[in-house]
Amino acid sequence: MVIISDQELLQRSVEPAHDLFPVMRRAAVMSPLVILLALGPGLLAFHSYRIDELSAWFGLECLGKASLITDNTNALISQPPLVRWLCMGLLSLVGHWSSSLVLFSYFSTACMLVVAYRLTRKVCNPRYALVFCFLLAFHTVVLKQIQLIEAPAFPILFALLTIWGYITHIQFESGIVSYKLLCGGISLGLCLLSGGALALGVLLMLSLYIVNPTDLPKGRSTSEQKKLPVLKQAVRAWKSLLILGFTGFAVGGWWELMAASQIEGFWGKWFAGPGQPTISLYWKTEFYPAYFVRDVISSLGFLLGFALFGLFHGIKRVLKPAGNQQEIAWLRLVVIWVFCGAFFWWGVQFLPQMEASTRAMWKLFFIIPLMAIVTWEFQQIALRRVSYPTVLAVFTVGVLSVIFISASQGDTLSPQISARFLRQLVILGLSLVMVLWYSHRFKKEQGHRVVEMALVVALSGLHVVYGVYSVPKPNPAGERLLQFEQQLRLTQNVTNCILVSKTDKPPLELTFLIFYLWGDIDFKQIQGTVLPQDLEIPVTEESDATPEKQVIIRWGASSVSLRNIVNAGFVLKPVASPDVYKQHELQADLISKSPQGF
């Protein structure tokens, strides 16, 4: 006869905690939503893109006009070349139009999101993968980097494929080499050609991951490996990693070796950025740790609470493994990834001349594992494995961080005490009081479930709003330049162009726009208020079947600069309405020979 105490009867009579979102159990049939998540949110950044100085710098480099940017061309060609090659090929296929510059970046981001979904679905479950893709698609860092034509998501895409190839090989294959491992090695080589030092970061992360091979997950086909000695498992894992590295070096390392033999100081420029001769010099410059912390907080936004508590719970779960071995192995990888990404992103702050796209790449490499931690904590809360006070703390930290950052001054973490800041804090406190009152007013299980569901939905919605509103809106200067471009596009068969500017360095956007619209034409750049008298202007015949045209563009130069052209018997015909760009007047005229007897 079994005797059950009253306390045990009370515990068994308590209603079990129900899943917050039972519909997510059918997440496997929701996989078509991934395509919408990959393509939809990015359209916001894609359509609001306008050509800026950074884009023009990279565009001139892609068009082979690096000499117009700087004399130090070795520093420019020391960067990984794959993105430049693909951008040049894509522009030649799709043509030149307002947003075609970031078309490659847009599709690279979409592919990255799809690969991130497939990777997490393979190593975790469809529910986790769908939430991860959703949070990542609306993240502010992911949306902002779409407007960088260097496509920071492109090397991250191959980094994810490398991780997928190695992890699935270790988990499901019994040998040292497999087609999955070779696919991962090829991806590592492409990552080396497009992301440079990012490939080294991936190898470092995987090296730390296999330090203890007994904790690695075992698939159905490799369950017999549990019987292998620890030493043999370690030897297999390290041999596979070496094959992965050698395959990646064979695919992408040839370019580094070739460039290093021709460029002096190549490795410093390759790692630290163009124009930077050494690395050690910048490890001694001033650094503001508060900016790094503020940048992390502002990047996470309303998900900061999920990230902090998720990282704490994840480390605790990894140190004391129990339960699903595959879940623990994924947590180990993600936690190691977070610390490696934080180390590289922190180190990037010491390299002030590094390209903005490379900085965005390292930041994305740090944000992706943080979103994986956030997704895991999200899943633990949805499955009611996290206590009710912890859920309230997650919500409080997330909202409080956004209030704190919005009230901070500049790049510091000191909030500006204002009526608005205090009012937001009071509203947050009253909201928490109402939540506590509701949860204690009704039945405990029902009240807690409703509150937790509301808080999770609210944070998810706020994350979407935070990401959408973080997309940079087109500035007035970019809109004016776009209108100027649309008018110039109507003028075809241009073979010569003269750019007259008041300063010796006109905006790179104008220089790039000329080659962007009319290809490799005869280009002259003149500084001053009056054109030189010995300026040679070829005479074109209007009776030709395809008449050659020449255009003169003035930025900050008055009409007096054109008197030598008019005196030489040429006629100027405006091809664009005069406008003001960057505080200087911008005009464009078509030069043609005046008729005889005019």
Side-chain angles (χ1 to χ4, degrees), residues 88-108:
M88 293 172 60
L90 183 63
L91 288 178
S92 63
L93 290 176
V94 303
H96 299 161
W97 43 289
S98 57
S99 298
S100 61
L101 282 174
V102 293
L103 188 64
F104 179 71
S105 181
Y106 170 69
F107 282 116
S108 298

Side-chain angles (χ1 to χ4, degrees), residues 119-120 122-124 128 163 166-168 170-172 205-206 208-219 226 233 313-338 369 372-373 376:
L119 170 65
T120 50
K122 185 72 174 178
V123 300
C124 296
Y128 179 95
I163 296 171
Y166 186 75
I167 295 301
T168 53
I170 292 295
Q171 182 174 352
F172 295 103
M205 180 189 67
L206 293 178
L208 296 176
Y209 176 64
I210 61 173
V211 168
N212 188 3
T214 58
D215 292 337
L216 300 181
K218 307 297 187 298
K226 297 179 180 179
Q233 296 185 41
H313 293 155
I315 294 175
K316 185 177 179 181
R317 184 77 179 275
V318 169
L319 294 178
K320 297 181 179 180
N324 190 343
Q325 187 182 16
Q326 189 171 357
E327 178 186 359
I328 296 173
W330 171 248
L331 275 178
R332 278 189 62 222
L333 175 65
V334 170
V335 170
I336 293 173
W337 191 351
V338 167
I373 288 289
W376 181 76

Side-chain angles (χ1 to χ4, degrees), residues 71-89:
D71 295 331
N72 191 8
T73 55
N74 287 342
L76 296 176
I77 65 175
S78 64
Q79 296 304 290
L82 186 57
V83 175
R84 294 198 303 272
W85 295 343
L86 293 177
C87 281
M88 293 172 60

